[in-house]
C-alpha cells in the first residue's frame, strides 16, 4: 500500500525519461518549494500571533516558529511518503545550502532597506560615536569572552585556540534583528539607532581583523611555526580600505547614479537596478573579507538622501514582507538544544557575559559621547544580538578543526539567547524621552507653507490630483504617506515638498529657498485649469448633451 502511494504521488515529480541530473534538480527544487511554503506560512502566522496577542515584535514570533519547525525539533520527524521535511545536516549550518542562500539574500535586502531608512546627516554626526561604541564593545567582549574559559577548564590560558575563538565569537554583532526592531519602532533615524548601525559596521570590520589574527595564531600554534603578520596586515588593510572607499564613493556618486537610473522612466526598473547594485556591492564586500550585509548597507546609505528613496522603499516593500520572515525563521531553525546539554552551565555563564559585555562595553563609551544612561542602555541592548554572525564565526572554527562540537554548542546557545533576549529589552528601553544629553536636536531647514482653500472637498480633491500630476510631469517623485489625512512627499534631487489635503484645504510645505519652484508649478496648473473652465463654457448645455446621449436608447 505504501509503495503504491509512493508511486502515485512521487513519480510525477521525477520523470522516468529524464536524465539522472534532471531528476536530482527536480527533487531538490520540489523539496525547496515545500520547505519555503511551510516556512512562509508558519513564520507569518507566528509573527502575527506574537504581535497581536503577546504585544511583541513579529520578529520574535518568526524566530520561535523557526525553532519549532527546525531540524532539531519537529522538522526532523518523518512525514509519510516524504521523510523529514528539514533533516538535520552534519555541518555547521544545519539547513540546506539552497535554503540558507535564500536567507542570506533576505539579509542583504534587509540591510539595504535599513541603509535607505538611515538619516545620513544623523549617521555622519554620530559616526565617531559609533566607532567609539563599537570599539568598547569589541574589547570588553573579546577579553572577557576569552578569559571566562579558564575558570571552567575549557582552556589553560587566554592564548589557547578555544579561548581565542570564544573571545572572537563574543565580539560579533548581528545588526539584522536590531535593524528590524528599529524599523518597526520607527527609530532607525534616531541618534541611538544610527549609532548602533555605525557601531555594528565598525564591529564587523574590526571583527574580521580579529578573526584573521585569531585563525592565524591558532593555526601557527597548532603547527608550531611563526605567525605571518604581513598576511594578517593585508587582510586588515583590505577590509578597512573597502569600507572607506565604497562608503565615500557611494555618497559622492549617488546623485549621478540616480540621474542615470531615471533615464529608464520606470519605478519598477529603477528599484530592480538599485537592488542589483546593492547585491553587487554585497558580493564585492564578501570578496574583500567583510560580511555581505555591510556592502548592502553601504549602498542603501548612499541612496538614502536621493529623491528616489521613497519609491525604492515602496517598490521593494512586497519582497521585504515575503523574504524577511524567511530569514528570521531560518535563523531560529539553527538552534540545537541537544548540543547545549554537555556545556549547559558554562554556556549560560558565557551567554550572560556576552550580554553584559555589550551592554557595558558599548553603553559606557556611549555615555562619554553625550548619551544619557537611557540612551546608553538602548545602544547596549541594540548591540547584544549575535545571530548568524556568531554562528558563521563558530562554523569557521569547527570547519578548521580549531574548536570542538562542545564549544560550537556554546556558541549556538549564546547566539540563541542573545537573539531572543535582546528584542524585548530593546523595545522596552525605547519607551520614554530622548537618550541624548540636552535632548535630540534635529537639523531642519527653514520652511514655509503655501495654503490654498477651495469651495468643497471634491474640488480640492480634483485640484490636488492635478497638482500632483504637474509635479510628476516635472520629473518629481510623488510618494503617498500612510497617514489618516492624505499626505504626499514630493522629491526631486535636493528639493523636498510636503502636500497635505485636508477637506477643502491644500497645504504645501516647502523650504524657503525652493518656494518659487513650488509656486510656479502650482500657478501654471491653476492657469491651465482656468483655461479648462473657460473651454467648458463653450460646451453645449448639459441638457442638450444628455438628450444626444440618450438618443436611440428607447
Amino acid at each position: 500500500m505504501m509503495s503504491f502511494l509512493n508511486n502515485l504521488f512521487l513519480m510525477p515529480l521525477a520523470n522516468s525519461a529524464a536524465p539522472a541530473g534532471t531528476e536530482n534538480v527536480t527533487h531538490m527544487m520540489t523539496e525547496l518549494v515545500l520547505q519555503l511554503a511551510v516556512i512562509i506560512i508558519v513564520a507569518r502566522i507566528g509573527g502575527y500571533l506574537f504581535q497581536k496577542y503577546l504585544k511583541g515584535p513579529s520578529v520574535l514570533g518568526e524566530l520561535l516558529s523557526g525553532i519549532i519547525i527546525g531540524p532539531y525539533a519537529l522538522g526532523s520527524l518523518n512525514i509519510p511518503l516524504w521523510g523529514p521535511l528539514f533533516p538535520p545536516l552534519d555541518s555547521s549550518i544545519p539547513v540546506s545550502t539552497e535554503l540558507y542562500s535564500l536567507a542570506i539574500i533576505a539579509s542583504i535586502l534587509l540591510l539595504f532597506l535599513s541603509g535607505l531608512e538611515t538619516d545620513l546627516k544623523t549617521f555622519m554626526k554620530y559616526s565617531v560615536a559609533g566607532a567609539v561604541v563599537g570599539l568598547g564593545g569589541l574589547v570588553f567582549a573579546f577579553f572577557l569572552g576569552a578569559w571566562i574559559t579558564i575558570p571552567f577548564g575549557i582552556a589553560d590560558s587566554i592564548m589557547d585556540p578555544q579561548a581565542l575563538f570564544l573571545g572572537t565569537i563574543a565580539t560579533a554583532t548581528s545588526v539584522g534583528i536590531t535593524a528590524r526592531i528599529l524599523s518597526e519602532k520607527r527609530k532607525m533615524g534616531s541618534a541611538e539607532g544610527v549609532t548602533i548601525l555605525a557601531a555594528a559596521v565598525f564591529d564587523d570590520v574590526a571583527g574580521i581583523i580579529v578573526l584573521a589574527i585569531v585563525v592565524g595564531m591558532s593555526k601557527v600554534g597548532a603547527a608550531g611555526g611563526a605567525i605571518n603578520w604581513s598576511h594578517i596586515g593585508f587582510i586588515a588593510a583590505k577590509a578597512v580600505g573597502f569600507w572607506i572607499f565604497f562608503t565615500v564613493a557611494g555618497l559622492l556618486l549617488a546623485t549621478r547614479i540616480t540621474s542615470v537610473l531615471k533615464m529608464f522612466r520606470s519605478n519598477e526598473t529603477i528599484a530592480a537596478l538599485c537592488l542589483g547594485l546593492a547585491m553587487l556591492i554585497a558580493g564585492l564586500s564578501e570578496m574583500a573579507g567583510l560580511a555581505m550585509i555591510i556592502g548592502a548597507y553601504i549602498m542603501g546609505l548612499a541612496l538614502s538622501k536621493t529623491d528616489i528613496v521613497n519609491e525604492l522603499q515602496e517598490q521593494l516593500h512586497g519582497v521585504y514582507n515575503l523574504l524577511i520572515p524567511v530569514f528570521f525563521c531560518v535563523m531560529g531553525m539553527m538552534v540545537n538544544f541537544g548540543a547545549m546539554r554537555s556545556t549547559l552551565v558554562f554556556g549560560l555563564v558565557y551567554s550572560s557575559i556576552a550580554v553584559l559585555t555589550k551592554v557595558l562595553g558599548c553603553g559606557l563609551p556611549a555615555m562619554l559621547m553625550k548619551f544619557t544612561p537611557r540612551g546608553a542602555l538602548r545602544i547596549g541592548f541594540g548591540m547584544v544580538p549575535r545571530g548568524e554572525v556568531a554562528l558563521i564565526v563558530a562554523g569557521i572554527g569547527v570547519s578548521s578543526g580549531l574548536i570542538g562540537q562542545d564549544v560550537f554548542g556554546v556558541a549556538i546557545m549564546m547566539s540563541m539567547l542573545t537573539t531572543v533576549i535582546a528584542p524585548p529589552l530593546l523595545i522596552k528601553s525605547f519607551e520614554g524621552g530622548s537618550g541624548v544629553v540636552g535632548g535630540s536636536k534635529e537639523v531642519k531647514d527653514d520652511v514655509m507653507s503655501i495654503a490654498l482653500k477651495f469651495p468643497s472637498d471634491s474640488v480640492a480633491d480634483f485640484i490636488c490630483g492635478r497638482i500632483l500630476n504637474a509635479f510628476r510631469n516635472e520629473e518629481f517623485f510623488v510618494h503617498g504617506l500612510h497617514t489618516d489625512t492624505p499626505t504626499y512627499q514630493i522629491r526631486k534631487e535636493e528639493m523636498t515638498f510636503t502636500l497635505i489635503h485636508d477637506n477643502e484645504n491644500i497645504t504645501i510645505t516647502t523650504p524657503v529657498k525652493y518656494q518659487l519652484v513650488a509656486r510656479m508649478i502650482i500657478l501654471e496648473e491653476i492657469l491651465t485649469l482656468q483655461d479648462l473652465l473657460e473651454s467648458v463654457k463653450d460646451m453645449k448645455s448639459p441638457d442638450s448633451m444628455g438628450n444626444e446621449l440618450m438618443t436611440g436608447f428607447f
Side-chain angles (χ1 to χ4, degrees):
M1 183 64 181
M2 289 297 289
S3 174
F4 168 76
L5 291 174
N6 185 55
N7 290 333
L8 178 64
F9 288 103
L10 297 186
M11 284 304 287
L13 298 175
N15 188 346
S16 58
T22 306
E23 289 180 15
N24 290 337
V25 171
T26 303
H27 179 79
M28 182 189 72
M29 291 307 300
T30 306
E31 188 176 65
L32 179 62
V33 168
L34 288 174
Q35 289 177 341
L36 274 177
V38 172
I39 288 173
I40 291 171
I41 293 170
V42 174
R44 293 299 299 185
I45 292 176
Y48 171 81
L49 294 176
F50 207 92
Q51 195 171 36
K52 183 173 180 63
Y53 296 105
L54 299 179
K55 307 301 179 188
S58 57
V59 59
L60 280 184
E62 291 156 9
L63 281 168
L64 289 175
S65 299
I67 294 173
I68 293 169
I69 66 170
Y72 301 113
L74 298 180
S76 63
L77 299 179
N78 277 316
I79 298 175
L81 308 179
W82 187 263
L85 185 59
F86 299 104
L89 304 178
D90 188 20
S91 68
S92 59
I93 299 171
V95 297
S96 67
T97 304
E98 297 79 20
L99 198 56
Y100 186 72
S101 302
L102 200 64
I104 293 300
I105 292 171
S107 70
I108 290 172
L109 175 65
L110 174 63
L111 266 292
F112 175 56
L113 287 171
S114 297
L116 289 177
E117 288 185 37
T118 303
D119 186 304
L120 186 57
K121 284 183 181 175
T122 313
F123 182 87
M124 298 305 288
K125 183 179 176 181
Y126 288 97
S127 58
V128 175
V132 174
V133 166
L135 180 63
L138 185 139
V139 172
F140 265 65
F142 179 80
F143 283 104
L144 283 177
W147 171 81
I148 193 62
T149 59
I150 300 172
F152 281 85
I154 304 291
D156 297 328
S157 74
I158 200 170
M159 299 303 290
D160 188 287
Q162 307 259 46
L164 289 172
F165 250 94
L166 280 171
T168 307
I169 292 167
T171 64
T173 299
S174 174
V175 75
I177 294 165
T178 299
R180 171 75 177 273
I181 293 169
L182 290 173
S183 180
E184 284 188 358
K185 302 293 288 182
R186 297 185 180 278
K187 297 294 182 185
M188 191 71 80
S190 65
E192 297 91 331
V194 293
T195 302
I196 291 169
L197 293 172
V201 172
F202 177 88
D203 228 24
D204 196 83
V205 175
I208 291 297
I209 296 170
V210 172
L211 180 62
I213 294 172
V214 166
V215 171
M217 291 175 66
S218 300
K219 286 185 175 178
V220 168
I227 298 172
N228 187 349
W229 287 107
S230 61
H231 178 66
I232 292 172
F234 173 71
I235 292 173
K238 191 169 63 169
V240 174
F242 180 92
W243 174 36
I244 294 174
F245 175 78
F246 276 94
T247 301
V248 173
L251 294 176
L252 292 178
L253 298 176
T255 306
R256 292 185 180 180
I257 292 171
T258 53
S259 297
V260 173
L261 294 175
K262 286 176 195 172
M263 295 170 64
F264 290 94
R265 297 184 178 277
S266 163
N267 291 340
E268 294 83 0
T269 304
I270 291 173
L273 291 174
C274 286
L275 182 58
L277 287 174
M279 297 178 80
L280 177 66
I281 304 300
L284 294 175
S285 175
E286 181 72 23
M287 291 172 68
L290 290 171
M292 283 193 277
I293 55 176
I294 297 303
Y297 181 75
I298 290 172
M299 193 65 208
L301 186 68
L303 296 173
S304 65
K305 290 303 289 181
T306 63
D307 52 7
I308 61 173
V309 61
N310 290 326
E311 294 299 328
L312 292 179
Q313 290 171 327
E314 191 166 306
Q315 293 293 333
L316 296 175
H317 189 68
V319 187
Y320 175 94
N321 278 337
L322 179 69
L323 285 183
I324 301 308
V326 173
F327 167 70
F328 288 105
C329 192
V330 171
M331 289 301 105
M333 293 168 71
M334 293 188 179
V335 176
N336 180 7
F337 290 102
M340 306 173 189
R341 289 175 190 159
S342 61
T343 53
L344 185 61
V345 176
F346 173 70
L348 290 173
V349 174
Y350 177 74
S351 301
S352 302
I353 285 179
V355 173
L356 289 175
T357 51
K358 286 292 184 180
V359 173
L360 296 176
C362 297
L364 293 176
M367 292 181 69
L368 297 176
M369 304 306 292
K370 298 185 178 180
F371 281 95
T372 64
R374 187 201 301 272
L377 203 59
R378 290 169 180 168
I379 292 171
F381 287 150
M383 296 291 287
V384 164
R386 304 307 204 277
E388 80 290 356
V389 181
L391 294 175
I392 291 169
V393 175
I396 292 172
V398 170
S399 60
S400 58
L402 298 174
I403 62 173
Q405 284 294 330
D406 53 344
V407 173
F408 186 64
V410 170
I412 292 174
M413 182 189 296
M414 184 274 288
S415 178
M416 183 198 74
L417 290 177
T418 55
T419 301
V420 173
I421 286 172
L425 293 175
L426 185 61
I427 291 167
K428 190 69 179 174
S429 70
F430 267 99
E431 294 178 358
S434 170
V436 183
V437 174
S440 180
K441 297 176 182 176
E442 297 181 1
V443 180
K444 292 183 177 179
D445 297 326
D446 292 332
V447 296
M448 62 169 297
S449 296
I450 303 170
L452 304 171
K453 188 176 178 62
F454 298 93
S456 67
D457 185 15
S458 299
V459 174
D461 184 54
F462 173 72
I463 294 180
C464 177
R466 297 277 308 192
I467 292 174
L468 293 176
N469 279 332
F471 275 105
R472 289 190 184 98
N473 292 336
E474 295 297 328
E475 298 187 344
F476 280 79
F477 286 92
V478 178
H479 176 68
L481 303 179
H482 301 288
T483 54
D484 293 334
T485 304
T487 305
Y488 304 89
Q489 193 172 65
I490 305 166
R491 300 186 63 166
K492 181 180 180 181
E493 297 171 356
E494 294 184 351
M495 291 182 283
T496 302
F497 310 121
T498 303
L499 185 149
I500 301 174
H501 170 209
D502 186 9
N503 296 322
E504 68 271 22
N505 299 301
I506 293 177
T507 305
I508 299 101
T509 304
T510 166
V512 172
K513 59 183 177 181
Y514 297 128
Q515 61 157 318
L516 286 178
V517 176
R519 287 181 185 277
M520 288 302 295
I521 291 174
I522 297 169
L523 178 61
E524 190 176 343
E525 191 57 29
I526 296 293
L527 291 175
T528 304
L529 277 172
Q530 192 175 23
D531 293 340
L532 184 67
L533 291 173
E534 289 294 331
S535 64
V536 170
K537 292 178 182 176
D538 299 332
M539 292 172 60
K540 296 178 181 179
S541 69
D543 289 340
S544 63
M545 289 183 70
N547 290 333
E548 284 186 13
L549 290 170
M550 297 300 291
T551 302
F553 265 59
F554 303 99

